[in-house]
Coordinates of all heavy atoms in Angstrom, one line a residue:
Chain F
K139 N 34.3 11.0 50.3 CA 35.3 10.8 51.3 C 34.8 10.0 52.4 O 35.4 9.1 52.9 CB 35.9 12.1 51.8 CG 36.9 12.8 50.9 CD 37.9 13.6 51.7 CE 38.9 14.3 50.8 NZ 38.3 15.5 50.0
M140 N 33.6 10.4 52.9 CA 33.0 9.7 54.0 C 32.7 8.2 53.6 O 32.9 7.3 54.4 CB 31.7 10.3 54.4 CG 31.9 11.7 55.2 SD 32.7 11.5 56.8 CE 31.3 11.0 57.8
R141 N 32.3 8.0 52.4 CA 32.0 6.6 52.0 C 33.2 5.8 52.1 O 33.2 4.7 52.6 CB 31.5 6.6 50.6 CG 31.0 5.3 50.1 CD 30.7 5.3 48.6 NE 31.9 5.4 47.8 CZ 32.8 4.5 47.5 NH1 32.6 3.2 47.9 NH2 33.8 4.7 46.8
I142 N 34.3 6.4 51.6 CA 35.6 5.6 51.6 C 36.0 5.3 53.0 O 36.5 4.2 53.3 CB 36.7 6.4 50.8 CG1 36.3 6.4 49.3 CG2 38.0 5.9 51.0 CD1 37.1 7.4 48.5
R143 N 35.9 6.2 53.9 CA 36.2 6.0 55.3 C 35.4 4.9 55.9 O 35.8 4.0 56.6 CB 36.1 7.2 56.1 CG 37.2 8.2 55.9 CD 37.1 9.3 57.0 NE 37.4 10.6 56.3 CZ 37.1 11.8 56.8 NH1 36.5 11.8 58.0 NH2 37.4 12.9 56.2
A144 N 34.1 4.9 55.5 CA 33.2 3.9 56.1 C 33.6 2.5 55.5 O 33.5 1.5 56.3 CB 31.7 4.2 55.7
V145 N 34.0 2.5 54.3 CA 34.4 1.2 53.7 C 35.6 0.6 54.5 O 35.6 -0.5 54.9 CB 34.7 1.3 52.2 CG1 35.5 0.1 51.7 CG2 33.5 1.6 51.4
A146 N 36.5 1.5 54.8 CA 37.7 1.1 55.5 C 37.4 0.6 56.9 O 37.9 -0.5 57.3 CB 38.7 2.3 55.6
D147 N 36.5 1.4 57.6 CA 36.2 0.9 58.9 C 35.4 -0.4 58.9 O 35.5 -1.2 59.8 CB 35.3 2.0 59.6 CG 36.1 3.2 60.0 OD1 37.3 3.2 59.7 OD2 35.6 4.1 60.7
R148 N 34.6 -0.6 57.9 CA 33.9 -1.8 57.8 C 34.8 -3.0 57.7 O 34.6 -4.0 58.4 CB 32.9 -1.8 56.6 CG 32.1 -3.0 56.5 CD 31.1 -2.9 55.3 NE 31.8 -2.7 54.1 CZ 31.1 -2.5 52.9 NH1 29.8 -2.5 52.9 NH2 31.8 -2.4 51.8
E149 N 35.9 -2.9 56.9 CA 36.9 -3.9 56.9 C 37.4 -4.2 58.3 O 37.5 -5.3 58.7 CB 38.1 -3.5 56.0 CG 37.7 -2.9 54.6 CD 37.0 -3.8 53.7 OE1 37.5 -4.9 53.5 OE2 35.9 -3.4 53.2
G150 N 37.7 -3.1 59.0 CA 38.3 -3.3 60.3 C 37.3 -4.0 61.2 O 37.7 -4.9 62.0
A151 N 36.0 -3.6 61.2 CA 35.0 -4.2 62.1 C 34.9 -5.7 61.8 O 34.6 -6.5 62.7 CB 33.7 -3.4 62.0
A152 N 34.9 -6.0 60.5 CA 34.7 -7.4 60.1 C 35.7 -8.3 60.8 O 35.5 -9.5 61.0 CB 34.8 -7.5 58.6
K153 N 36.9 -7.8 61.1 CA 38.0 -8.6 61.7 C 37.7 -8.9 63.1 O 38.3 -9.8 63.7 CB 39.3 -8.0 61.4 CG 39.8 -7.9 60.0 CD 41.2 -7.5 59.9 CE 41.7 -7.4 58.4 NZ 41.0 -6.4 57.7
E154 N 37.0 -8.0 63.8 CA 36.8 -8.1 65.2 C 35.6 -9.1 65.5 O 34.6 -9.0 65.0 CB 36.4 -6.8 65.9 CG 37.5 -5.8 65.8 CD 38.7 -6.1 66.7 OE1 38.4 -6.8 67.7 OE2 39.8 -5.7 66.4
P155 N 35.9 -10.0 66.4 CA 34.8 -10.9 66.8 C 33.8 -10.2 67.7 O 34.2 -9.3 68.5 CB 35.5 -12.0 67.6 CG 36.7 -11.4 68.1 CD 37.1 -10.3 67.2
G156 N 32.5 -10.4 67.6 CA 31.5 -9.8 68.5 C 31.1 -8.4 68.0 O 30.4 -7.7 68.7
W157 N 31.6 -8.0 66.8 CA 31.2 -6.7 66.3 C 30.2 -6.8 65.2 O 30.2 -5.9 64.3 CB 32.5 -5.9 65.8 CG 33.2 -5.4 67.0 CD1 33.2 -5.8 68.3 CD2 34.1 -4.2 66.9 NE1 34.0 -5.0 69.0 CE2 34.6 -4.1 68.2 CE3 34.6 -3.4 65.9 CZ2 35.5 -3.1 68.6 CZ3 35.5 -2.4 66.3 CH2 35.9 -2.2 67.6
A158 N 29.3 -7.7 65.2 CA 28.4 -7.9 64.1 C 27.5 -6.7 64.0 O 27.3 -6.3 62.8 CB 27.5 -9.2 64.4
F159 N 27.0 -6.1 65.1 CA 26.1 -5.0 64.9 C 26.8 -3.7 64.4 O 26.4 -3.1 63.5 CB 25.4 -4.7 66.2 CG 24.3 -5.8 66.5 CD1 24.5 -6.8 67.3 CD2 23.1 -5.7 65.8 CE1 23.5 -7.8 67.5 CE2 22.1 -6.6 65.9 CZ 22.3 -7.7 66.8
P160 N 28.0 -3.3 65.0 CA 28.7 -2.2 64.4 C 29.0 -2.5 62.9 O 28.9 -1.6 62.1 CB 30.0 -2.2 65.2 CG 29.6 -2.7 66.6 CD 28.5 -3.7 66.3
E161 N 29.3 -3.7 62.6 CA 29.6 -4.0 61.2 C 28.3 -3.8 60.3 O 28.4 -3.2 59.2 CB 30.1 -5.4 61.0 CG 30.6 -5.7 59.6 CD 30.9 -7.1 59.4 OE1 30.8 -7.9 60.3 OE2 31.2 -7.5 58.2
M162 N 27.2 -4.2 60.8 CA 25.9 -4.0 60.0 C 25.7 -2.5 59.8 O 25.3 -2.0 58.8 CB 24.7 -4.5 60.8 CG 24.4 -6.0 60.6 SD 22.9 -6.5 61.4 CE 23.4 -7.8 62.4
V163 N 25.9 -1.7 60.9 CA 25.7 -0.3 60.8 C 26.7 0.4 59.8 O 26.4 1.3 59.1 CB 25.7 0.4 62.2 CG1 25.6 1.9 62.1 CG2 24.6 -0.2 63.0
L164 N 27.9 -0.1 59.9 CA 28.9 0.4 58.9 C 28.5 0.1 57.5 O 28.7 0.9 56.6 CB 30.3 -0.1 59.2 CG 31.0 0.6 60.4 CD1 32.2 -0.2 60.9 CD2 31.4 2.0 60.0
N165 N 27.9 -1.1 57.3 CA 27.4 -1.4 56.0 C 26.3 -0.5 55.6 O 26.3 0.0 54.4 CB 26.9 -2.9 56.1 CG 26.8 -3.5 54.7 OD1 27.6 -3.3 53.9 ND2 25.8 -4.3 54.5
W166 N 25.4 -0.2 56.5 CA 24.4 0.8 56.2 C 25.1 2.2 55.9 O 24.6 2.9 55.0 CB 23.5 1.0 57.5 CG 22.4 2.0 57.4 CD1 21.1 1.7 57.0 CD2 22.4 3.4 57.7 NE1 20.4 2.8 57.1 CE2 21.1 3.9 57.5 CE3 23.4 4.2 58.1 CZ2 20.8 5.2 57.7 CZ3 23.1 5.6 58.3 CH2 21.8 6.0 58.1
S167 N 26.1 2.6 56.6 CA 26.7 3.9 56.5 C 27.4 4.0 55.1 O 27.3 5.0 54.4 CB 27.8 4.1 57.5 OG 27.2 4.0 58.8
V168 N 28.0 2.9 54.6 CA 28.6 2.9 53.3 C 27.5 3.3 52.3 O 27.7 4.1 51.4 CB 29.3 1.5 53.0 CG1 29.6 1.5 51.5 CG2 30.5 1.3 53.8
K169 N 26.4 2.6 52.4 CA 25.3 2.9 51.5 C 24.8 4.3 51.6 O 24.5 5.0 50.7 CB 24.1 1.9 51.7 CG 24.4 0.5 51.3 CD 23.0 -0.2 51.1 CE 23.2 -1.7 51.1 NZ 23.4 -2.3 52.4
Y170 N 24.7 4.8 52.9 CA 24.2 6.1 53.1 C 25.0 7.2 52.3 O 24.5 8.0 51.6 CB 24.3 6.5 54.6 CG 23.7 7.8 54.9 CD1 22.4 8.0 55.3 CD2 24.5 9.0 54.9 CE1 21.8 9.2 55.5 CE2 23.9 10.2 55.2 CZ 22.6 10.3 55.5 OH 22.1 11.6 55.8
Y171 N 26.4 7.1 52.4 CA 27.2 8.1 51.8 C 27.3 7.9 50.3 O 27.4 8.8 49.5 CB 28.6 8.2 52.5 CG 28.4 8.8 53.8 CD1 28.3 8.0 55.0 CD2 28.2 10.1 54.0 CE1 28.1 8.5 56.2 CE2 27.9 10.7 55.2 CZ 27.9 9.9 56.4 OH 27.6 10.4 57.6
E172 N 27.1 6.6 49.9 CA 27.0 6.3 48.5 C 25.8 7.0 47.9 O 25.8 7.7 46.9 CB 27.0 4.8 48.3 CG 27.0 4.3 47.0 CD 27.0 2.7 47.1 OE1 27.7 2.2 47.9 OE2 26.1 2.1 46.4
D173 N 24.7 6.8 48.6 CA 23.4 7.4 48.2 C 23.5 8.9 48.2 O 23.0 9.6 47.3 CB 22.2 7.0 49.1 CG 21.9 5.5 48.9 OD1 22.3 4.9 47.9 OD2 21.3 4.9 49.8
E174 N 24.1 9.5 49.2 CA 24.3 10.9 49.3 C 25.0 11.4 48.1 O 24.7 12.5 47.5 CB 25.0 11.3 50.6 CG 25.0 12.7 51.0 CD 23.6 13.2 51.5 OE1 22.8 12.4 51.8 OE2 23.5 14.5 51.5
R175 N 26.1 10.8 47.8 CA 26.9 11.1 46.6 C 26.1 11.1 45.3 O 26.0 12.0 44.5 CB 28.1 10.2 46.5 CG 29.0 10.4 45.3 CD 29.8 9.2 45.0 NE 29.0 8.0 44.6 CZ 29.4 6.8 44.6 NH1 30.6 6.5 44.9 NH2 28.6 5.8 44.2
D176 N 25.3 10.0 45.1 CA 24.5 9.8 43.9 C 23.4 10.9 43.8 O 23.1 11.4 42.7 CB 23.9 8.4 43.9 CG 25.0 7.4 43.7 OD1 26.2 7.7 43.4 OD2 24.7 6.2 43.9
R177 N 22.8 11.2 45.0 CA 21.8 12.3 44.9 C 22.4 13.6 44.5 O 21.8 14.4 43.9 CB 21.1 12.4 46.3 CG 20.0 11.3 46.5 CD 19.2 11.6 47.7 NE 19.9 11.9 48.9 CZ 20.3 10.9 49.7 NH1 19.9 9.7 49.6 NH2 21.0 11.2 50.8
A178 N 23.6 13.8 45.0 CA 24.3 15.1 44.6 C 24.5 15.1 43.1 O 24.2 16.1 42.4 CB 25.6 15.2 45.3
D179 N 24.9 14.0 42.5 CA 25.1 13.9 41.1 C 23.8 14.2 40.4 O 23.7 14.9 39.4 CB 25.6 12.5 40.7 CG 27.1 12.4 41.0 OD1 27.8 13.5 41.0 OD2 27.6 11.3 41.2
A180 N 22.7 13.6 40.9 CA 21.4 13.8 40.2 C 21.0 15.2 40.3 O 20.5 15.8 39.3 CB 20.3 12.9 40.9
M181 N 21.3 15.8 41.4 CA 20.9 17.2 41.6 C 21.7 18.1 40.7 O 21.2 19.1 40.1 CB 21.0 17.7 43.0 CG 20.3 19.0 43.3 SD 20.2 19.3 45.0 CE 18.6 19.9 45.2
L182 N 23.0 17.8 40.5 CA 23.8 18.6 39.6 C 23.2 18.5 38.2 O 23.2 19.6 37.5 CB 25.2 18.0 39.5 CG 26.1 18.4 40.7 CD1 27.4 17.6 40.8 CD2 26.5 19.9 40.5
A183 N 22.7 17.4 37.8 CA 22.1 17.3 36.5 C 20.8 18.2 36.4 O 20.6 18.9 35.5 CB 21.7 15.8 36.2
D184 N 20.0 18.1 37.5 CA 18.8 19.0 37.5 C 19.2 20.4 37.4 O 18.5 21.2 36.7 CB 18.1 18.8 38.9 CG 17.1 17.6 38.8 OD1 17.1 16.8 37.8 OD2 16.4 17.3 39.9
L185 N 20.2 20.8 38.1 CA 20.7 22.2 38.2 C 21.1 22.6 36.8 O 20.8 23.7 36.3 CB 21.8 22.4 39.2 CG 22.2 23.8 39.5 CD1 21.1 24.6 40.1 CD2 23.4 23.8 40.4
D186 N 21.8 21.8 36.1 CA 22.3 22.1 34.7 C 21.1 22.3 33.8 O 21.1 23.2 33.0 CB 23.2 21.0 34.2 CG 24.6 21.0 34.9 OD1 24.9 22.1 35.6 OD2 25.4 20.1 34.8
K187 N 20.2 21.4 33.9 CA 19.0 21.5 33.1 C 18.3 22.8 33.3 O 17.9 23.5 32.4 CB 18.0 20.3 33.4 CG 16.9 20.1 32.4 CD 16.4 18.7 32.5 CE 15.8 18.4 33.8 NZ 15.1 17.1 33.9
F188 N 18.2 23.2 34.6 CA 17.5 24.5 35.0 C 18.3 25.6 34.4 O 17.7 26.6 33.8 CB 17.4 24.6 36.5 CG 17.0 26.0 36.9 CD1 15.6 26.3 36.8 CD2 17.9 26.9 37.4 CE1 15.2 27.5 37.2 CE2 17.4 28.2 37.8 CZ 16.1 28.5 37.7
A189 N 19.7 25.6 34.5 CA 20.5 26.7 34.0 C 20.3 26.8 32.5 O 20.2 28.0 32.0 CB 22.0 26.5 34.3

Side-chain angles (χ1 to χ4, degrees):
Chain F
K139 279 208 183 73
M140 288 294 278
R141 187 190 67 80
I142 290 171
R143 283 188 221 164
V145 167
D147 286 6
R148 183 175 60 184
E149 315 294 312
K153 293 190 180 68
E154 295 289 334
W157 282 22
F159 286 102
E161 191 189 352
M162 275 187 236
V163 175
L164 281 166
N165 201 34
W166 181 93
S167 302
V168 169
K169 289 202 195 74
Y170 183 91
Y171 290 99
E172 187 179 311
D173 291 342
E174 191 74 16
R175 179 199 63 193
D176 293 348
R177 282 192 305 271
D179 283 334
M181 194 169 222
L182 280 164
D184 278 3
L185 188 62
D186 286 347
K187 196 160 58 176
F188 173 77

